[in-house]
Amino acid sequence: MEEPMHNSAITAAFDTGPAFVPYLTAGDPTFEASLEYVQALERGGASVIELGLPFSEPIAEGKTIQNAISRSLEGGMTPVRFFKFLEQLDVTVPLVCMTYYNLIYQYGTHDGPRPFVERAATAGLDGIIVPDLPAEEAGPLHSACQSHGLDLITIVAPTTTTDRLERLVSLCSGYLYVQARLGVTGARSDVSEQTAASLDRLTDIELPVAVGFGISSGEHARTVIESGADGVIVGSALVEIIGEGHRAGDSPDMVAQRLEAKSREITTAITKLQQQP
Amino acid sequence: MTGTFGRYGGQYVPEALMPALTELKGAYEQYVLENADGFMDEFHERMRSFGGRPTPLQRADALSDRYDTDVYLKREDLVHGGAHKLTNALGQVLLAKYMGKERIIAETGAGQHGTATAMAAAHLDMPCEIYMGRTDTNRQRPNVFRMRLNDATVTPVDVGRGTLKEAISEAMRDWAQSVETTHYVIGSVVGPHPFPKLVREFQSVISEESRRQIRDRTGSLPTSVVACAGGGSNAMGSFTTFLNDDVALHAVEAGGESLTVDADAGVAPNSATLQTGSEGVLHGARTRVLQDEHGQIMASHSVSAGLDYAGVGPELAHLVDAGRVSAHTVDDETALAGVHRLSQTEGIIPALETAHAVGWLEEATESQLGEQIVLTVSGRGDKDLETVLEESTRRNIPETPDMDVFDPPANGGTDA
Ligand SMILES: Cc1ncc(COP(=O)(O)O)c(C=O)c1O
């Protein structure tokens, strides 16, 4: 395994025990409300926060996050505004951008991922996840991230073969994103059996391992940590709180409180675990 | 990077799909390129007996007179199902069988690829689910009926404008879930490697036949070959065997209502990806796409559902950049007039997609037409009859026949 080229703030965030890594689509449903929501996640105990930069063709996303992406795009979110969003955020935890390759590729006046990564670094971003960029195509983004001290976080799927796994790990820094089940994002009422099997083959990897796709409750989160994960990624269950609040016309304050409470449910469930002998 | 054409191509898909693409690439090399287990023999035999290949090459006498040149029509409209699409669909469904897959999914725009896939799946006894944008299910109803009659599940996609782009995204989401047992029969030379090559390989039978047929008939090669292009499977199929010949290749895209773009609304009122698009990554490939300054994919438009797409096959984009293929656009009205002209003067009602190639003959210069031209009639127009009559009437296209034969609607209204 290759050592990360820099001291990763993201990796360090896993040092203090099981990590809670929430996801929200930035700008959902508005720039201002979304700033408040992200801050609520930190109050709820987030260790690292993933922020979606919305793309018009989110092929890895289920309905819940697709809807969040539509709301955010309608609210006027763009890559340029996304960086302003990062700069206005008042949080101390490391931030990861989750987006699709075309937005990274188009940013700036010349081709390739460098201008995006350069701007991301000055805006205070710590890492990038790109669901439609497999190891085969990740070279240019990986080297841009390395030169600007950002982590490129790769995704390991249930279908990933052993030789591919090695390649994904060698490209990865920050944490390894383990996709808990096949399919698209979306909250589920159970924990997939694939999760334990996936984690079993990652036991000798030095990077922290965070599991995502389908985790929706403190109980799920606990099961995943008990199966050997270092962190849990929770997206759709939180995004749905925003969607419901938006549909009901609730105030951003109320929605922020619910997000904080849901975050606390998960952090409490996994922190207790750590205190047990 | 693998599977590239100049700057274009590649595999921009979630990791979960990568093992399936590797498996598909292996199957493509083994069965398609090397004819393992007689795969290609079976494919050709089924395309003969079930699919109606080879299709005729016919001299179009009225068009030849009109343009003072020899116009030949490659009659892909006579393939079973009414379009070139069956050749790819049958090839891929058969390949899925050889690979031991249990289920077929596909996206469709005009419904021709969905129909072809549903027919191939019924023929080869595979369960089949077709994703189709809601706008398209409404404007291509006859094809929805056909797919259902062939026992395919048709799943409407309500996202966005509900056209081909959204249907492909939704099919990819299904595949991300079902990849271990399911083959995704992509409908054009688009998507991640190896799809653009695989689909081109099956469709290139069009130009293998037409090159042989025109030589047998006239003793020479054509000056030019014309084909409409949405994703580009008809164009690549019509061009491939001529690539190394001194033959001009013309791809005709949908100019829609206008070539200008409303970036604020995120709408391009056309599907002229080759002419007006820029390099980007869409649906698994780096290619030319219609996008705004930030890289968001724009909603495209064409009166023809099968051309209404914001991307294009990477190999075709590369051939255009390299100067080997010329790209042209024909707008909605010229295409509609093309439907009427071919119907009235040649007795062939073409698909609206094909009508763009027919319309281009009106706009081409004498030297572009040359002495002998082969135009691929990619499909027949049965699926488009309602759209053609409605849209032609609305736009006062002079060639439009009146439909006074029907009783007026009981409410005196303007029901479609
Ligand atoms: C008859 C016909 N021609 C052309 C097309 C465009 O697709 P492609 O460019 O892949 O040939 C379609 C698509 O549905 C079609 O139905």
Side-chain angles (χ1 to χ4, degrees):
Chain A
M1 197 198 93
E2 214 174 87
E3 281 300 311
M5 301 296 286
H6 56 274
N7 290 322
S8 163
I10 295 175
T11 304
F14 286 74
D15 285 348
T16 49
F20 166 51
V21 183
Y23 164 97
L24 290 185
T25 303
D28 169 25
T30 65
F31 191 97
E32 294 302 326
S34 186
L35 283 172
E36 236 185 273
Y37 297 161
V38 177
Q39 281 149 202
L41 299 178
E42 185 176 55
R43 288 196 301 277
S47 322
V48 174
I49 297 174
E50 291 182 4
L51 292 172
L53 164 58
F55 178 51
S56 56
E57 308 307 311
I59 55 167
E61 249 65 68
K63 281 279 174 298
T64 303
I65 295 180
Q66 282 179 49
N67 289 337
I69 286 173
S70 303
R71 288 191 297 265
S72 168
L73 288 172
E74 269 160 37
M77 184 50 83
T78 64
V80 174
R81 296 195 79 209
F82 178 76
F83 292 126
K84 299 214 173 90
F85 184 88
L86 293 177
E87 284 164 348
Q88 287 186 29
L89 262 182
D90 186 15
V91 296
T92 55
V93 296
L95 298 172
V96 173
C97 167
M98 181 145 184
T99 195
Y100 289 78
Y101 196 55
N102 198 46
L103 296 188
I104 295 177
Y105 191 77
Q106 301 303 335
Y107 187 85
T109 47
H110 59 92
D111 282 352
R114 267 180 196 275
F116 184 95
V117 174
E118 211 171 284
R119 179 72 183 93
T122 61
L125 198 72
D126 297 277
I128 302 185
I129 307 175
V130 189
D132 65 344
L133 197 71
E136 280 73 1
E137 310 289 354
L141 181 60
H142 181 248
S143 78
C145 282
Q146 292 224 314
S147 22
H148 291 92
L150 261 71
D151 291 318
L152 177 64
I153 292 160
T154 57
I155 300 175
V156 174
T159 46
T160 300
T161 50
T162 309
D163 56 323
R164 296 191 59 81
L165 179 62
E166 278 167 25
R167 198 157 165 201
L168 288 167
V169 170
S170 75
L171 284 169
C172 188
S173 58
Y175 56 88
L176 192 65
Y177 190 133
V178 174
Q179 182 181 331
R181 60 177 84 226
L182 279 178
V184 293
T185 55
R188 305 297 170 96
S189 54
D190 62 331
V191 172
S192 130
E193 282 168 21
Q194 282 165 339
T195 308
S198 301
L199 288 170
D200 276 351
R201 57 182 187 154
L202 296 171
T203 41
D204 49 357
I205 279 165
E206 284 175 43
L207 279 172
V209 169
V211 173
F213 272 53
I215 299 174
S216 64
S217 69
E219 200 187 321
H220 287 174
R222 187 184 308 128
T223 312
V224 169
I225 297 293
E226 279 170 353
S227 308
D230 302 303
V232 290
I233 303 165
V234 179
S236 298
L238 295 163
V239 169
E240 189 49 36
I241 292 174
I242 300 178
E244 272 170 17
H246 183 67
R247 283 189 296 274
D250 295 339
S251 75
D253 279 353
M254 280 168 74
V255 175
Q257 275 171 30
R258 285 177 210 145
L259 287 171
E260 187 180 335
K262 185 75 190 176
S263 302
R264 190 148 294 134
E265 172 194 327
I266 291 162
T267 30
T268 310
I270 61 179
T271 317
K272 271 204 201 112
L273 208 68
Q274 190 206 8
Q275 290 160 348
Q276 280 161 11
Chain B
M1 269 214 279
T2 45
T4 52
F5 309 95
R7 302 177 57 77
Y8 303 129
Q11 297 179 300
Y12 296 85
V13 294
E15 165 62 21
L17 294 179
M18 285 305 297
L21 292 179
T22 307
E23 183 191 352
L24 183 61
K25 180 171 168 280
Y28 163 65
E29 287 166 357
Q30 186 189 352
Y31 295 118
V32 180
L33 298 184
E34 289 158 27
N35 192 29
D37 302 342
F39 172 84
M40 285 305 277
D41 302 332
E42 181 174 350
F43 167 64
H44 287 303
E45 172 47 33
R46 286 183 189 274
M47 276 314 298
R48 224 181 344 262
S49 55
F50 176 71
R53 297 213 79 94
T55 59
L57 183 77
Q58 176 213 337
R59 186 171 189 278
D61 294 337
L63 292 185
S64 298
D65 282 350
R66 184 176 178 95
Y67 303 112
D68 194 21
T69 176
D70 275 325
V71 179
Y72 287 88
L73 303 177
K74 178 61 175 161
R75 298 288 307 277
E76 291 295 301
D77 58 315
L78 295 177
V79 174
H80 179 41
H84 69 298
K85 297 278 176 185
L86 179 72
T87 308
N88 167 48
L90 188 86
Q92 285 199 54
V93 175
L94 190 63
L95 189 63
K97 256 212 131 112
Y98 274 60
M99 291 167 72
K101 299 288 175 184
E102 294 159 14
R103 173 176 172 259
I104 294 299
I105 56 170
E107 87 294 341
T108 196
Q112 284 302 111
H113 174 61
T115 300
T117 306
M119 292 185 323
H123 175 63
L124 292 168
D125 192 23
M126 292 274 254
C128 173
E129 180 167 357
I130 307 291
Y131 290 93
M132 187 171 188
R134 181 75 71 179
T135 306
D136 290 338
T137 54
N138 291 335
R139 64 177 162 172
Q140 303 280 305
R141 287 164 57 91
N143 277 338
V144 176
F145 296 140
R146 293 206 289 171
M147 289 184 270
R148 294 291 299 131
L149 282 165
N150 283 136
D151 203 25
T153 304
V154 178
T155 305
V157 180
D158 281 312
V159 186
R161 275 193 63 237
T163 61
L164 182 56
K165 167 167 83 74
E166 291 79 23
I168 296 180
S169 292
E170 201 58 25
M172 287 190 150
R173 292 187 188 107
D174 179 313
W175 206 31
Q177 165 86 43
S178 61
V179 60
E180 289 164 310
T181 55
T182 298
H183 177 66
Y184 174 23
V185 178
I186 211 163
S188 189
V189 287
V190 300
H193 175 66
F195 280 113
K197 288 190 178 175
L198 175 67
V199 177
R200 179 255 278 146
E201 198 63 30
F202 288 132
Q203 288 294 5
S204 59
V205 67
I206 300 174
S207 49
E208 279 160 28
E209 289 175 8
S210 63
R211 190 174 187 279
R212 192 174 60 238
Q213 288 164 324
I214 192 100
R215 287 185 85 171
D216 286 353
R217 183 155 177 163
T218 71
S220 65
L221 290 177
T223 330
S224 51
V225 175
V226 190
C228 66
S233 67
N234 168 54
M236 285 308 304
S238 300
F239 298 161
T240 296
T241 316
F242 293 106
L243 279 173
N244 295 322
D245 295 325
D246 183 20
V247 172
L249 306 173
H250 299 283
V252 186
E253 297 186 288
E257 281 164 11
S258 143
L259 289 186
T260 57
V261 159
D262 183 351
D264 287 341
V267 175
N270 60 67
S271 308
T273 320
L274 292 167
Q275 289 268 291
T276 66
S278 56
E279 183 176 325
V281 174
L282 175 63
H283 291 144
R286 183 195 296 222
T287 184
R288 283 186 166 269
V289 300
L290 300 177
Q291 58 188 332
D292 71 11
E293 60 178 314
H294 302 296
Q296 306 292 1
I297 308 304
M298 289 201 275
S300 55
H301 164 81
S302 167
V303 69
S304 136
L307 301 185
D308 196 345
Y309 181 50
V312 67
E315 185 173 20
L316 186 57
H318 170 63
L319 289 170
V320 169
D321 279 10
R324 181 64 190 94
V325 170
S326 325
H328 310 276
T329 56
V330 157
D331 66 16
D332 287 348
E333 296 198 359
T334 309
L336 286 162
V339 173
H340 297 298
R341 194 173 323 106
L342 203 69
S343 304
Q344 288 166 12
T345 66
E346 298 288 350
I348 299 168
I349 302 173
L352 267 169
E353 293 79 19
T354 304
H356 287 73
V358 177
W360 182 73
L361 299 179
E362 289 289 300
E363 298 179 348
T365 64
E366 211 170 296
S367 71
Q368 282 173 328
L369 291 174
E371 284 144 38
Q372 198 184 73
I373 190 158
V374 173
L375 185 155
T376 307
V377 180
S378 58
R380 67 176 191 228
D382 305 39
K383 67 187 173 64
D384 296 321
L385 300 181
E386 279 185 49
T387 309
V388 165
L389 290 169
E390 255 172 61
E391 294 282 333
S392 310
T393 306
R394 186 168 74 78
R395 295 162 201 251
N396 296 318
I397 309 279
E399 293 90 339
T400 315
D402 68 54
M403 288 289 146
D404 294 349
V405 286
F406 295 117
D407 291 338
N411 59 7
T414 51
D415 295 11

